[in-house]
């Protein structure tokens, strides 16, 4: 099976969008979260893709073509039927590009702005082009319907961010991890992930306060943007701290105070080794939180700050499953006190670790399967039916699914 192709999305200007759709010729465009791009949505809704099938099976072979026969479909779409020298038939079926918005979210601020009389008609027009909208909470679903999305295409699902799965770890990625494991055998440790500029100062003050209680404590800081890692490490070194940096292969020793992880794709690896995870993007009013489910999946005790924005539904859902699963602290002082307690009280630590894992397992169960069923029902089958004279078989459905373009902000 051919794997997915990763491609940068075009700028949302008509010429770029038309060229993108014309080159890739998708049968479906699936947008994630808040990726509502007006020119893309309107162009896709007015465009057609194509499916090439051989006797109902997948085919891209057009060698030895003798003639082209046009056949009227029951939906008045035209199917080009090409006969090869070998007597096999190939079908080039023109199909409308269908659109879906999954893991859909809209902030309160965006909802208020989009509800303004001058903007609402454009938002309503865009939403009318979708065949499926899957909000990540009932509150989000209500917002989309108040923006005049059809209730018949809105179906709530759990957050797809719960579907973190397992990632294979390369031998290169494991370089230096043995050093960390050795250090963790003898030292208290915690990880602060997705840390933005400004939050690093908060985490530094927390580290220094904890170091007065736990002199050998190791703090791991994962900047939200890896490019900030070396700058952060240099600033910390100037303050007299012993720093190791993941990207330059620095070796951890018993003297290392802070380990800066400035690489991509390794966060789950480090979550799996740490007892406590503090999720950043939540300690400054200008921020709106980050995904807490990855740390919960790794059975960390999970803490987050007061400003969690889009992640309120996720945190609330996990707390409903088990109140100990996610602790949302009010700020720096409560974070220090909570970390002090967890680092010195094994019973409390294990209770929060097991609660986080329990909540994750309950909420993640069946999420991907449910969203896939919605996509199959509202997007894949609908796209194929637009230009197809019969019910699609399994091979046809899989082919169409592989010709979908998925837009994500990453």
């Amino acid at each position: 099976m051919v794997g997915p192709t990763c491609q940068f999305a075009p700028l949302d200007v008509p010429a770029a969008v038309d060229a993108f759709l014309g080159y890739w010729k998708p049968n479906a465009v699936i947008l994630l979260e808040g990726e509502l791009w007006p020119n893309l949505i309107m162009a896709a809704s007015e465009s057609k893709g194509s499916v090439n099938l051989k006797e109902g099976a997948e085919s891209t072979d057009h060698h030895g073509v003798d003639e082209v026969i046009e056949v009227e479909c029951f939906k008045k779409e035209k199917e080009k039927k090409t006969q090869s020298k070998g007597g096999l038939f190939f079908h080039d079926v023109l199909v409308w590009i269908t659109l879906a918005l999954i893991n859909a979210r809209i902030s309160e601020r965006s909802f208020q702005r989009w509800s303004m009389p001058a903007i609402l008609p454009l938002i309503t027009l865009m939403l009318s082009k979708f065949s499926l909208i899957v909000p990540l909470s009932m509150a989000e679903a209500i917002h989309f319907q108040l923006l005049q999305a059809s209730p018949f295409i809105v179906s709530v699902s759990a957050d797809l961010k719960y579907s973190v799965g397992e990632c294979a770890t390369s031998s290169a990625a494991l370089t230096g991890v043995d050093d960390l494991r050795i250090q963790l055998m003898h030292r208290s440790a915690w990880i602060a992930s997705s840390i933005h500029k400004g939050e690093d100062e908060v985490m530094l003050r927390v580290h220094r306060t904890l170091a007065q209680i736990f002199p050998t404590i190791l703090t791991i800081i994962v900047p939200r943007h890896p490019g900030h890692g070396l700058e952060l490490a240099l600033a910390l070194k100037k303050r007299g701290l012993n720093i190791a940096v993941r990207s330059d292969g620095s070796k951890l020793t018993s003297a290392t105070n802070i380990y800066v992880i400035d690489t991509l794709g390794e966060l789950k690896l480090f979550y799996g080794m740490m007892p406590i995870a503090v999720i950043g993007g939540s300690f400054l009013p200008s921020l709106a939180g980050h995904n807490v489910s990855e740390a919960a999946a790794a059975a960390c005790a999970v803490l987050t700050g007061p400003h969690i924005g889009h992640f309120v539904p996720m945190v609330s859902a996990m707390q409903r499953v088990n109140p100990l699963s996610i602790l949302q602290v009010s700020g720096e002082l409560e974070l220090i006190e909570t970390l002090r307690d967890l680092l010195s009280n094994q019973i409390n630590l294990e209770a929060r670790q097991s609660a986080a894992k329990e909540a994750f397992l309950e909420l993640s169960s069946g999420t991907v399967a449910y969203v896939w069923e919605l996509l199959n029902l509202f997007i894949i089958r609908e796209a194929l039916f637009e230009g197809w004279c019969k019910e699609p078989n399994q091979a046809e459905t899989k082919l169409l699914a592989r010709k979908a373009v998925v837009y994500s902000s990453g």
Side-chain angles (χ1 to χ4, degrees), residues 114-168:
W114 292 357
S115 299
M116 296 171 62
I119 301 178
L120 181 59
L122 172 61
I123 299 300
T124 300
L125 178 62
M126 284 198 299
L127 296 180
S128 72
K129 304 301 181 182
F130 285 92
S131 297
L132 175 66
I133 298 175
V134 186
L136 51 77
S137 72
M138 186 58 68
E140 308 279 0
I142 292 171
H143 279 162
F144 279 105
Q145 291 184 53
L146 289 174
L147 293 171
Q148 301 181 25
S150 169
F152 299 107
I153 65 167
V154 177
S155 184
V156 178
S157 172
D159 198 323
L160 283 172
K161 285 187 169 66
Y162 290 124
S163 308
V164 294
E166 296 293 332
C167 285

Side-chain angles (χ1 to χ4, degrees), residues 9-328:
L11 294 175
D12 196 51
V13 295
V17 167
D18 290 344
F20 182 86
L21 295 176
Y23 179 82
W24 291 104
K25 295 180 174 62
N27 299 123
V29 172
I30 303 170
L31 309 179
L32 270 71
E33 300 188 342
E35 299 291 309
L36 290 174
W37 299 102
N39 287 306
L40 169 69
I41 292 169
M42 299 308 297
S45 68
E46 297 169 359
S47 302
K48 287 185 177 183
S50 65
V51 178
N52 175 254
L53 302 169
K54 180 183 71 177
E55 292 298 332
E58 305 172 21
S59 173
T60 55
D61 184 4
H62 286 278
H63 297 296
V65 173
D66 287 334
E67 58 179 328
V68 174
I69 308 168
E70 289 190 349
V71 180
E72 288 289 333
C73 291
F74 74 94
K75 283 199 174 183
K76 305 302 181 184
E77 294 290 343
K78 286 188 176 181
E79 173 190 354
K80 290 182 179 179
K81 199 171 186 180
T82 306
Q83 186 172 19
S84 71
K85 291 179 179 178
L88 297 177
F89 285 90
F90 299 88
H91 307 274
D92 280 329
V93 183
L94 296 178
V95 295
W96 294 105
I97 297 176
T98 52
L99 290 110
L101 180 63
I102 62 176
N103 226 45
R105 69 185 191 185
I106 174 174
S107 67
E108 186 62 35
R109 182 168 58 182
S110 294
F111 174 69
Q112 295 299 331
R113 184 170 64 251
W114 292 357
S115 299
M116 296 171 62
I119 301 178
L120 181 59
L122 172 61
I123 299 300
T124 300
L125 178 62
M126 284 198 299
L127 296 180
S128 72
K129 304 301 181 182
F130 285 92
S131 297
L132 175 66
I133 298 175
V134 186
L136 51 77
S137 72
M138 186 58 68
E140 308 279 0
I142 292 171
H143 279 162
F144 279 105
Q145 291 184 53
L146 289 174
L147 293 171
Q148 301 181 25
S150 169
F152 299 107
I153 65 167
V154 177
S155 184
V156 178
S157 172
D159 198 323
L160 283 172
K161 285 187 169 66
Y162 290 124
S163 308
V164 294
E166 296 293 332
C167 285
T169 304
S170 67
S171 57
L174 292 172
T175 303
V177 170
D178 287 339
D179 295 337
L180 178 58
R181 287 198 177 101
I182 291 171
Q183 294 299 318
L184 293 179
M185 292 173 61
H186 310 288
R187 303 173 65 177
S188 299
W190 62 291
I191 184 170
S193 62
S194 297
I195 300 302
H196 291 247
K197 286 188 176 182
E199 289 187 307
D200 46 13
E201 293 293 332
V202 176
M203 300 307 146
L204 175 58
R205 291 194 294 269
V206 170
H207 168 81
R208 283 187 156 160
T209 302
L210 291 173
Q212 297 174 14
I213 307 169
F214 309 96
T216 63
I217 192 168
L218 174 65
T219 296
I220 295 180
I221 296 180
V222 186
R224 174 61 177 172
H225 304 289
H228 179 49
L230 292 177
E231 178 186 341
L232 172 61
L234 181 61
L236 294 175
K237 287 178 181 178
K238 288 181 178 179
R239 300 188 188 192
L241 293 166
N242 191 311
I243 308 299
V245 182
R246 176 69 169 165
S247 63
D248 66 14
S250 303
K251 187 176 179 64
L252 271 74
T253 70
S254 59
T256 303
N257 305 126
I258 296 178
Y259 189 20
V260 177
I261 307 297
D262 58 343
T263 52
L264 289 171
E266 295 189 312
L267 189 54
K268 285 198 288 185
L269 171 66
F270 289 96
Y271 278 153
M273 293 187 289
M274 302 303 293
I276 305 166
V278 176
I279 313 302
S282 60
F283 289 90
L284 297 177
S286 59
L287 303 176
H290 286 299
N291 186 10
V292 299
S293 68
E294 286 184 314
C300 295
V302 184
L303 313 179
T304 189
H307 308 289
I308 56 175
H310 296 306
F311 291 89
V312 168
M314 175 181 283
V315 171
S316 299
M318 295 185 75
Q319 289 174 334
R320 282 195 296 271
V321 173
N322 191 317
L324 296 178
S325 59
I326 308 291
L327 177 56
Q328 186 179 8

